[in-house]
Amino acid sequence: MKVGLYFGSFNPIHIGHLVIANHMAEYSDLDQIWFVVTPHNPFKKKTSLLDNHQRLEMVYLATKDYDKLAPSNIEFNLPQPNYTINTLAHLQEKHPDYEFSLIMGEDNLKSFHKWKNYELILENHHIYVYPRISKNKVDTQFNGHKKIHLIDAPIMGISSTLIRNAIKNSKNIQPLLPQHVWKYLDEMNFYK
């Protein structure tokens, strides 16, 4: 089985995340997309970041009606700070029959050469890249790379920051969130 790993804080998960993930599941050779919720780094102070399990719950609520999308808490029990290469090694050990790939925005590909052991990641894993609105060019070493697949997914101009700020300012952003996530956020009074 080919699994695409979509890493993020998902604080909160929104329809932009779902559109990208579903597009990858339907228009690439990936069988499933796992939303890997990245844990709060204990060395960073980030007051707007919800608890790991609250964010995982939102991802679960957002994906429960989609057969090809699933939440993952794989990084919750790995030593912090964690690196993607460690997560990939851990997953490969746990699921030796699965083929894991990364899903990232074009903006992340631009800094990919700065990731720990990025050469090893590229050697052993494919990367599926979705377009983002950004100014900088992708590093030419990645142009035409056989393991990097540029996917013509919709460009999403929604961010979790925009949603958190809108909620804080009492704006109705309900259409930008999956219905179950909106209900959960509203009931829990998150980001207000």
Side-chain angles (χ1 to χ4, degrees), residues 104-108 110 130-134 155-156 158-159:
M104 68 173 67
E106 199 173 16
D107 51 335
N108 284 322
K110 290 172 187 169
Y130 59 89
R132 294 291 297 257
I133 302 167
S134 59
I155 296 175
M156 304 305 296
I158 306 167
S159 72

Side-chain angles (χ1 to χ4, degrees), residues 34-52:
W34 293 1
F35 286 84
V36 180
V37 180
T38 53
H40 179 248
N41 185 332
F43 305 107
K44 287 185 181 173
K45 190 177 178 198
K46 195 160 184 189
T47 53
S48 65
L49 187 65
L50 295 180
D51 170 84
N52 296 342

Side-chain angles (χ1 to χ4, degrees), residues 164-182:
R164 290 192 307 274
N165 289 338
I167 291 172
K168 194 166 70 179
N169 293 310
S170 303
K171 304 292 182 197
N172 180 2
I173 45 79
Q174 193 171 347
L176 301 181
L177 297 163
Q179 185 179 359
H180 303 302
V181 173
W182 166 255

